[in-house]
Amino acid sequence: MSEQLSTAISIAEKQISQMLTMQDAMNSRVSDTWRANGYEWYRAIWVECAEMLDHHGWKWWKHQEIDVAQVQLELVDIFHFGLSLRLMTGDDVAKITSDLAKELHQGTAENDFKIALENLASAAVTKKAFDAKALADCMSLMNMDLDELFRQYVGKNTLNFFRQDHGYKEGSYIKIWHGEEDNEVLAQLVNELDAGADNFQQQLYAALEAKYPKN
């Protein structure tokens, strides 16, 4: 392994380890017994794949333009479910981290986004598994590297926590903030803050709190 690749893998492991911790915390926020609840994470993956394909475009009989930003958001959502599936395997976090870091750097070099996406969905349907190499292919074809995945993942995870803390499960959460959806507000804030800061998540949560409509 080259020194450059070794450094990249090391950085990836740090980011993935942090995301695994955040995913476990988010799942536990929804249910303390999430590991025993039998949630079908694999089903969430292939359903998201179908939704993503519409944002990408697949109809040969009409003109379609790729909504790159929305496709990237769907990839981030799938990564949430993929992390949950890996945590459910029973492997220790260090092994999961190492495996994902290597798989996300390898990919398979598939150059057709639709096929890469179908590979991702196929693993979820037939093996109830998360194919990180297929996700890496999709990311590469959407000009999305691991740093961007990390930045958007931390953003969405923080928003999910914020939603839970502000009545999302009870139905009292306000999703439109001064004329914009919370996802749009999130995207603006993530671009304004330093994703490399150690307290990025805390800064983002505080910024969301400041923007949230007060009754």
Side-chain angles (χ1 to χ4, degrees), residues 5-200:
L5 178 58
S6 178
T7 299
I9 293 290
S10 178
I11 293 171
E13 287 179 343
K14 180 180 177 181
Q15 292 173 326
I16 291 166
S17 177
Q18 185 174 340
M19 288 188 283
L20 283 165
T21 298
M22 293 172 67
Q23 190 61 46
D24 189 14
M26 182 66 243
N27 292 350
S28 298
R29 178 68 176 78
V30 175
S31 173
D32 290 337
T33 58
W34 74 269
R35 291 175 185 271
N37 291 352
Y39 296 139
E40 292 88 359
W41 304 104
Y42 70 92
R43 184 174 298 143
I45 289 176
W46 67 255
V47 170
E48 290 283 351
C49 286
E51 293 178 2
M52 193 192 315
L53 192 56
D54 275 334
H55 293 301
H56 179 276
W58 60 276
K59 298 174 181 176
W60 59 88
W61 60 88
K62 62 181 285 190
H63 173 72
Q64 292 181 294
E65 292 187 3
I66 302 172
D67 187 342
V68 175
Q70 192 60 46
V71 171
Q72 288 185 353
L73 280 174
E74 299 286 359
L75 288 170
V76 173
D77 284 344
I78 284 175
F79 195 59
H80 281 76
F81 303 133
L83 290 176
S84 298
L85 260 180
R86 290 297 177 95
L87 286 168
M88 288 296 295
T89 62
D91 289 339
D92 62 66
V93 172
K95 182 180 187 309
I96 296 171
T97 298
S98 176
D99 289 347
L100 282 174
K102 292 172 184 173
E103 291 165 27
L104 288 171
H105 270 88
Q106 289 172 347
T108 69
E110 175 56 58
N111 59 12
D112 185 320
F113 181 85
K114 295 183 290 297
I115 292 176
L117 187 58
E118 286 168 350
N119 290 338
L120 182 57
S122 177
V125 172
T126 62
K127 300 177 182 177
K128 299 183 178 180
F130 171 49
D131 186 341
K133 290 183 181 180
L135 184 83
D137 290 336
C138 291
M139 287 169 54
S140 176
L141 292 165
M142 287 295 108
N143 299 315
M144 187 180 199
D145 60 16
L146 188 55
D147 286 337
E148 181 62 19
L149 176 68
F150 178 74
R151 187 177 69 88
Q152 292 198 34
Y153 174 89
V154 174
K156 188 60 182 287
N157 182 279
T158 304
L159 177 60
N160 286 341
F161 259 106
F162 186 87
R163 286 171 169 175
Q164 290 293 325
D165 291 344
H166 291 75
Y168 198 68
K169 199 171 185 179
E170 295 77 19
S172 59
Y173 178 75
I174 302 170
K175 195 165 186 180
I176 304 300
W177 301 12
H178 312 294
E180 294 182 300
E181 281 200 11
D182 58 359
N183 275 312
E184 296 175 284
V185 177
L186 173 70
Q188 295 166 13
L189 293 174
V190 166
N191 287 328
E192 293 170 4
L193 297 171
D194 177 12
D198 290 339
N199 64 339
F200 173 53

